[in-house]
Amino acid sequence: MLSRLRIVLVQTFHPGNIGAAARAMKTMGLTELVLVNPRAFPDDEATRLAAGAADVVENARVVGSLTEAVNDCVQVVGASARLRSLPLPHFEEPDAMAESALDCLQSASNNGQDAPVALVFGRERSGLTTDEIRCCTHQVSIPANPDYGILNLSQAVQILAYELHRAWRSREDSGFVYPTPGETTPPTREQFGHFQRHLHEVMAKSGFLTQPHARTEEQLQALFSRAEPSRKELSLLRGLLSALEPDTPPRDR
Ligand code: SAH
């Protein structure tokens, strides 16, 4: 679905903004970039600011008019900080735009079409012209400081791309998996029990538990339960306990 979301940049002045927009897109799983009459492209600055998203820049398509960029789309959303008095449906919140864009892609798919949805961004200095807004089916604004609400082009791309990704992620069929750091399989109750006994033995033998009726042991066991160690972390702790009692071979491993 994300592959059918197209970002269109109109007459971008700074090539660095093209690169930064490509990076913003790739971090949110978007890949289709169309450039309408960019001032300088290809350009080293675009590649430099794209960082790991140089492929998005390399695959960008350059066209001669906005009509050409969006003709095959089922929905075209113009991003604009300023509201023009055009009778276009207007999304006041980016998340509403994202839901609508995905609904639109979904209903196109249900009818056997793979037509894209485009988000159109204007020039750094002057934004989109009234004629260009007329090429759109909708407008969206990013609510911001009323005294200074104009974002840098690539940052506007980032925010709207994030909302599209968030809307996609929350759909049941997205298949998105949250990345988990390292090994996080929880230990079995048996493995946890071995650790508790091992801890008990070390505490008892070392003379740490001087007052058997104090709740020291219980409190420490509760601490380790709360920490929810992974299997790997638990075996690390058991290694530590074994090292603290060098004369006794570790048991129940
Ligand atoms: N000076 C221009 C703004 C250019 S910023 C103007 O007054 O229109 C470049 C582009 O970033 C804009 O054309 C728009 O597509 C996007 N953008 C910047 N701030 C935005 C905001 N608050 N909401 C929606 N789009 C925004």
Side-chain angles (χ1 to χ4, degrees), residues 1-9 19-34 52-57 59-60 97-98 101-102 105 117-121 154 156-169:
M1 209 176 215
L2 295 179
S3 62
R4 285 160 60 211
L5 289 165
R6 178 181 300 168
I7 299 295
V8 178
L9 306 182
R23 181 177 186 170
M25 288 170 62
K26 188 165 177 180
T27 56
M28 297 298 137
L30 307 184
T31 47
E32 215 206 330
L33 178 60
V34 177
D55 55 329
V56 175
V57 172
N59 295 327
M97 174 282 296
L102 293 195
L105 288 178
V117 162
L119 250 70
V120 181
F121 295 83
S154 65
V157 172
Q158 183 76 74
I159 288 178
L160 297 187
Y162 171 78
E163 289 295 346
L164 289 165
H165 187 260
R166 193 167 78 123
W168 166 78
R169 199 160 21 97

Side-chain angles (χ1 to χ4, degrees), residues 193-209 212 217-218 221 241 245 251:
H194 290 329
F195 164 71
Q196 285 180 314
R197 276 192 295 285
H198 197 167
L199 179 65
H200 168 80
E201 280 167 23
V202 174
M203 287 196 296
K205 279 189 212 151
S206 65
F208 178 70
L209 292 179
E217 185 170 2
E218 225 172 89
Q221 301 285 17
L241 292 176
E245 43 159 17
R251 297 191 292 127

Side-chain angles (χ1 to χ4, degrees), residues 9 12 14-23 33 35 38 40-41 46 50 57 60 153:
L9 306 182
T12 309
H14 296 291
N17 274 336
I18 297 175
R23 181 177 186 170
L33 178 60
L35 307 169
F41 188 81
V57 172
L153 171 60

